[in-house]
Amino acid sequence: MRDTPRIDALICNAAIAQVPNRQLTKAGHESQLGTNHYGHFLLCGLLFDRIDKSGGRIVAVASLGYKMGLRTIQFDDMN
């Protein structure tokens, strides 16, 4: 990261979906939640100072998959 003094844009687009079997991240989170949300959050946090200093932007890309399944966040069981 030291080789990149400025970041003009960070596009968070990596995702996994329809995981056939329940899998957990190394931190113990459900793999889709860990990859698609917590991973992006962590990366943005690690790079935020550099993006902010450059006047850059963070863009989070999503799919229409949010319309499938439960439509509310179950905060008591994030996995």
Side-chain angles (χ1 to χ4, degrees), residues 12-25 29-40 61-63 65-66:
C12 299
N13 189 35
I16 60 172
Q18 301 173 342
V19 181
N21 298 312
R22 186 170 191 260
Q23 298 176 13
L24 301 177
T25 65
H29 303 292
E30 186 275 324
S31 61
Q32 188 168 331
L33 180 67
T35 301
N36 301 359
H37 301 285
Y38 296 155
H40 291 171
V61 179
S63 71
Y66 72 91

Side-chain angles (χ1 to χ4, degrees), residues 6 8 13 25-26 32 40 42 46 49 73-74 78:
R6 65 177 288 133
D8 297 315
N13 189 35
T25 65
K26 289 182 181 180
Q32 188 168 331
H40 291 171
L42 177 61
L46 292 171
D49 289 342
I73 298 174
Q74 295 177 321
M78 293 299 284

